[in-house]
Amino acid sequence: GQQLNQSPQSMFIQEGEDVSMNCTSSSIFNTWLWYKQDPGEGPVLLIALYKAGELTSNGRLTAQFGTTRKDSFLNISASIPSDVGIYFCAGPNMEYGNKLVFGAGTILRVKS
Amino acid sequence: DAGVIQSPRHEVTEMGQEVTLRCKPISGHNSLFWYRQTMMRGLELLIYFNNNVPIDDSGMPEDRFSAKMPNASFSTLKIQPSEPRDSAVYFCASSLFGGYTFGSGTRLTVV
């Protein structure tokens, strides 16, 4: 089936630093979604990408849909303590009626 | 809108007991999903409904798990009998056009 591989698994960075994480797949995705999960809460959608090559920003967050449609990345600029959480990439599994598959997540910790 | 509402937030039960988790999706959303999250396996889709009809339950671990959606505003996930390995956070999510909205989850501990 379609699997999403996220890297890095975790990051421990200094407040103010930029963060970059990515997601790859051996299969083509037509949509890439990036979610953030705060401790004790459910994942919340940050950015949705629908077109190959698309670059979309949401505040300090920027995400891109790779041109091969097999990867995506998420950047966070000037990190702050509330950026702490788990970041998931996700995409619809076309083999199974477009139900979402999730990557394993990138755990982000920020030192202030 | 209050978002996706799950109850209870926390459940501690003894092995062998029946557990029922509840979900109220966002009004107007036509798809509902039950996920389980563990450290080892991440987020796993258990079952999803479209217009109240179960479409794919291939993720349900075994016969001890069952889910129902009697109407567009309510769904349950039942585990009977529960086992310690069922301990996890269970999320419900609803969707209209692909963007999933998750509830805050139910943290289940089976002792």
Side-chain angles (χ1 to χ4, degrees), chain B residues 84-99:
Chain B
R85 61 194 167 117
D86 301 330
S87 297
V89 181
Y90 291 81
F91 288 104
C92 174
S94 69
S95 169
L96 182 57
F97 292 121

Side-chain angles (χ1 to χ4, degrees), chain B residues 1-68:
Chain B
D1 198 319
V4 176
I5 300 172
Q6 289 187 247
S7 64
R9 285 298 307 269
H10 302 274
E11 176 83 36
V12 180
T13 191
E14 289 186 346
M15 182 173 65
Q17 296 297 306
E18 176 180 296
V19 175
T20 299
L21 312 181
R22 297 173 175 79
C23 176
K24 181 178 175 358
I26 290 175
S27 176
H29 282 192
N30 61 353
S31 297
L32 183 140
F33 309 82
W34 282 102
Y35 281 85
R36 177 172 68 177
Q37 186 177 37
T38 60
M39 289 292 292
M40 292 297 294
R41 301 173 69 93
L43 274 163
E44 301 174 276
L45 179 65
L46 301 177
I47 185 171
Y48 81 95
F49 296 84
N50 202 38
N51 294 321
N52 312 339
V53 175
I55 301 301
D56 182 356
D57 65 354
S58 59
M60 296 285 261
E62 46 198 275
D63 292 345
R64 296 184 297 106
F65 285 68
S66 62
K68 293 183 180 178

